[in-house]
Amino acid sequence: PDAQALYPTCTGQTVPPDLNAPFIDEVGCDSQSAAIGPVATGTLCPPGANYPRRTEVVMHPLPAGLATMANPCRGVPANAWCVDGKPI
């Protein structure tokens, strides 16, 4: 948050990385990735951290009456979904 005050002019040099270790621990805890943490606290999940795991996915219906693209492949290079400017 202090980057503008600490670096008020552009000198072309990169800003040193912000090793916000508690935040990195929180990211590691949330992702359940031992590769990310522990960094600062010595544990992957800091005290009081609570990241409930998703148990299901809810797909809400799309609103009615949405406009569609006339030709989503127009001007797109050939790929697995578009050949000669037309959807497969």
Side-chain angles (χ1 to χ4, degrees), residues 2-31:
D2 295 330
Q4 195 169 11
L6 294 172
Y7 308 99
T9 59
C10 181
T11 63
Q13 294 185 357
T14 59
V15 177
D18 177 18
L19 298 178
N20 186 343
F23 174 72
I24 293 171
D25 281 353
E26 292 280 348
V27 170
C29 179
D30 181 37
S31 67

Side-chain angles (χ1 to χ4, degrees), residues 11-88:
T11 63
Q13 294 185 357
T14 59
V15 177
D18 177 18
L19 298 178
N20 186 343
F23 174 72
I24 293 171
D25 281 353
E26 292 280 348
V27 170
C29 179
D30 181 37
S31 67
Q32 296 183 341
S33 171
I36 294 176
V39 176
T41 63
T43 63
L44 189 58
C45 293
N50 180 25
Y51 295 99
R53 306 316 298 168
R54 184 182 307 261
T55 58
E56 64 181 85
V57 176
V58 177
M59 295 294 293
H60 297 282
L62 291 174
L66 294 177
T68 61
M69 296 176 70
N71 181 354
C73 292
R74 182 179 301 142
V76 175
N79 59 57
W81 298 275
C82 299
V83 175
D84 295 329
K86 298 176 185 158
I88 298 176

